[in-house]
Coordinates of all heavy atoms in Angstrom, one line a residue:
A1 N -10.7 35.2 4.2 CA -11.0 36.6 3.9 C -10.8 36.9 2.4 O -11.1 38.0 2.0 CB -10.2 37.5 4.8
G2 N -10.2 35.9 1.7 CA -9.9 36.2 0.3 C -9.8 34.9 -0.5 O -10.4 33.9 -0.1
N3 N -9.1 35.0 -1.6 CA -9.0 33.8 -2.5 C -7.9 32.9 -2.0 O -6.9 33.3 -1.4 CB -8.7 34.2 -3.9 CG -9.9 35.0 -4.5 OD1 -11.1 34.7 -4.2 ND2 -9.7 36.0 -5.3
S4 N -8.0 31.6 -2.4 CA -6.9 30.7 -2.1 C -6.8 29.7 -3.2 O -7.8 29.6 -4.0 CB -7.1 29.9 -0.8 OG -8.3 29.2 -0.8
P5 N -5.7 29.0 -3.4 CA -5.6 28.0 -4.5 C -6.7 27.0 -4.4 O -7.1 26.6 -3.3 CB -4.3 27.4 -4.3 CG -3.5 28.4 -3.4 CD -4.5 29.0 -2.6
P6 N -7.3 26.5 -5.5 CA -8.3 25.5 -5.5 C -7.8 24.2 -4.9 O -6.6 23.8 -5.1 CB -8.7 25.3 -6.9 CG -7.5 25.8 -7.7 CD -6.9 26.9 -6.9
A7 N -8.6 23.5 -4.1 CA -8.2 22.3 -3.5 C -8.6 21.1 -4.5 O -9.7 21.1 -5.0 CB -8.9 22.1 -2.2
G8 N -7.8 20.2 -4.7 CA -8.1 19.1 -5.6 C -7.2 17.9 -5.1 O -6.9 17.8 -3.9
E9 N -6.9 17.0 -6.0 CA -6.1 15.9 -5.6 C -4.6 16.2 -5.7 O -3.8 15.6 -6.3 CB -6.4 14.7 -6.5 CG -7.9 14.2 -6.3 CD -8.2 13.0 -7.2 OE1 -7.2 12.5 -7.8 OE2 -9.3 12.6 -7.2
K10 N -4.3 17.3 -4.9 CA -2.9 17.8 -4.9 C -2.5 18.0 -3.4 O -3.4 18.3 -2.6 CB -2.8 19.1 -5.7 CG -3.0 19.0 -7.2 CD -1.7 18.3 -7.8 CE -1.9 18.3 -9.3 NZ -0.7 17.7 -9.9
F11 N -1.2 17.9 -3.1 CA -0.7 18.3 -1.8 C 0.1 19.5 -2.0 O 1.3 19.4 -2.4 CB 0.1 17.1 -1.2 CG 0.7 17.4 0.1 CD1 0.0 17.7 1.2 CD2 2.1 17.5 0.2 CE1 0.6 18.0 2.4 CE2 2.7 17.8 1.4 CZ 2.0 18.0 2.5
L12 N -0.5 20.7 -1.7 CA 0.3 21.9 -1.9 C 1.0 22.1 -3.2 O 2.1 22.4 -3.3 CB 1.3 22.1 -0.7 CG 0.6 22.3 0.6 CD1 1.7 22.2 1.7 CD2 -0.2 23.6 0.7
G13 N 0.2 21.7 -4.3 CA 0.8 21.8 -5.6 C 1.5 20.6 -6.1 O 1.8 20.5 -7.3
C14 N 1.7 19.6 -5.3 CA 2.4 18.4 -5.6 C 1.3 17.3 -5.7 O 0.3 17.3 -5.1 CB 3.5 18.0 -4.6 SG 4.9 19.1 -4.6
P15 N 1.6 16.2 -6.5 CA 0.7 15.1 -6.6 C 0.7 14.2 -5.3 O 1.8 14.1 -4.7 CB 1.1 14.3 -7.8 CG 2.6 14.6 -7.8 CD 2.8 16.0 -7.4
Y16 N -0.4 13.6 -5.0 CA -0.4 12.5 -4.1 C 0.3 11.3 -4.8 O 0.1 11.2 -6.1 CB -1.7 12.1 -3.6 CG -2.3 13.0 -2.5 CD1 -2.8 14.2 -2.7 CD2 -2.1 12.6 -1.2 CE1 -3.3 15.0 -1.7 CE2 -2.6 13.4 -0.1 CZ -3.2 14.6 -0.4 OH -3.6 15.4 0.6
P17 N 1.0 10.5 -4.2 CA 1.6 9.3 -4.9 C 0.4 8.5 -5.6 O -0.6 8.3 -5.0 CB 2.2 8.4 -3.8 CG 2.5 9.4 -2.7 CD 1.4 10.5 -2.7
S18 N 0.6 8.3 -6.9 CA -0.4 7.6 -7.6 C -0.8 6.3 -7.1 O 0.1 5.6 -6.5 CB 0.0 7.6 -9.1 OG 1.2 6.8 -9.3
G19 N -2.0 5.9 -7.4 CA -2.5 4.6 -6.8 C -3.8 4.8 -6.1 O -4.4 5.8 -6.1
D20 N -4.3 3.7 -5.5 CA -5.6 3.8 -4.9 C -5.6 3.9 -3.4 O -6.5 3.5 -2.7 CB -6.4 2.5 -5.3 CG -5.7 1.2 -4.8 OD1 -4.6 1.4 -4.2 OD2 -6.3 0.2 -4.9
V21 N -4.5 4.6 -2.9 CA -4.4 4.6 -1.4 C -5.0 5.9 -0.8 O -5.9 5.8 0.0 CB -2.9 4.5 -1.0 CG1 -2.7 4.7 0.5 CG2 -2.3 3.2 -1.5
W22 N -4.5 7.1 -1.3 CA -4.9 8.3 -0.6 C -6.1 9.0 -1.2 O -6.9 9.6 -0.4 CB -3.7 9.3 -0.5 CG -2.4 8.7 -0.2 CD1 -1.3 8.6 -0.9 CD2 -2.1 8.0 1.1 NE1 -0.3 8.0 -0.2 CE2 -0.8 7.6 1.0 CE3 -2.8 7.8 2.2 CZ2 -0.1 6.9 2.0 CZ3 -2.2 7.1 3.3 CH2 -0.8 6.7 3.2
T23 N -6.3 8.9 -2.5 CA -7.3 9.8 -3.1 C -8.4 9.1 -3.8 O -9.2 9.7 -4.5 CB -6.6 10.8 -4.1 OG1 -5.9 10.0 -5.1 CG2 -5.6 11.7 -3.4
T24 N -8.6 7.8 -3.6 CA -9.7 7.1 -4.2 C -11.0 7.2 -3.4 O -11.0 7.0 -2.2 CB -9.3 5.6 -4.4 OG1 -8.3 5.5 -5.3 CG2 -10.5 4.8 -4.9
D25 N -12.1 7.5 -4.0 CA -13.4 7.6 -3.4 C -13.8 6.2 -3.0 O -13.9 5.3 -3.9 CB -14.4 8.3 -4.3 CG -15.7 8.6 -3.6 OD1 -16.2 7.8 -2.8 OD2 -16.2 9.7 -3.9
V26 N -14.0 5.9 -1.7 CA -14.4 4.6 -1.3 C -15.8 4.5 -0.8 O -16.2 3.6 -0.1 CB -13.4 4.2 -0.1 CG1 -12.0 4.0 -0.6 CG2 -13.5 5.1 1.1
T27 N -16.7 5.4 -1.4 CA -18.1 5.4 -1.0 C -18.7 4.0 -1.2 O -19.5 3.6 -0.4 CB -18.8 6.4 -1.9 OG1 -18.2 7.7 -1.7 CG2 -20.3 6.5 -1.4
H28 N -18.3 3.3 -2.3 CA -18.9 2.0 -2.6 C -17.9 0.9 -2.4 O -18.2 -0.2 -3.0 CB -19.5 2.1 -4.0 CG -20.5 3.2 -4.2 ND1 -21.8 3.2 -3.5 CD2 -20.5 4.3 -4.9 CE1 -22.4 4.3 -3.9 NE2 -21.7 5.0 -4.7
A29 N -16.8 1.1 -1.8 CA -15.8 0.1 -1.6 C -16.4 -1.0 -0.7 O -17.1 -0.8 0.2 CB -14.6 0.7 -1.0
P30 N -16.0 -2.3 -1.0 CA -16.4 -3.4 -0.2 C -15.9 -3.4 1.2 O -14.8 -2.8 1.4 CB -15.9 -4.6 -1.0 CG -14.7 -4.1 -1.8 CD -15.1 -2.7 -2.1
L31 N -16.6 -3.9 2.1 CA -16.2 -3.9 3.5 C -15.3 -5.0 3.8 O -15.3 -6.1 3.1 CB -17.4 -4.0 4.4 CG -18.5 -3.0 4.4 CD1 -19.5 -3.2 5.5 CD2 -17.9 -1.6 4.5
S32 N -14.4 -4.8 4.8 CA -13.6 -5.9 5.3 C -14.5 -7.0 5.9 O -15.5 -6.7 6.6 CB -12.6 -5.4 6.3 OG -12.0 -6.4 7.1
P33 N -14.1 -8.3 5.7 CA -14.9 -9.3 6.3 C -15.1 -9.2 7.8 O -16.1 -9.7 8.4 CB -14.2 -10.6 5.9 CG -13.4 -10.3 4.7 CD -13.0 -8.8 4.9
N34 N -14.1 -8.6 8.5 CA -14.1 -8.4 9.9 C -14.6 -7.0 10.4 O -14.3 -6.6 11.5 CB -12.8 -8.7 10.5 CG -12.4 -10.2 10.4 OD1 -13.2 -11.1 10.5 ND2 -11.1 -10.4 10.1
S35 N -15.2 -6.3 9.5 CA -15.6 -4.9 9.8 C -16.3 -4.8 11.1 O -15.9 -4.0 12.0 CB -16.4 -4.3 8.7 OG -16.9 -3.0 9.0

């Protein structure tokens, strides 16, 4: 019904742990050999 904080690569104002685990776009990531 109103405004809210913008959503980004944050968890309620805190960063996600840096690295390629939680917030990396995997649109073009290679498949597992056993997919």
Side-chain angles (χ1 to χ4, degrees):
N3 295 323
S4 63
E9 294 183 7
K10 294 284 185 179
F11 174 66
L12 294 172
C14 291
Y16 278 82
S18 61
D20 60 355
V21 178
W22 314 118
T23 58
T24 294
D25 191 317
V26 295
T27 305
H28 304 293
L31 299 186
S32 165
N34 293 323
S35 174

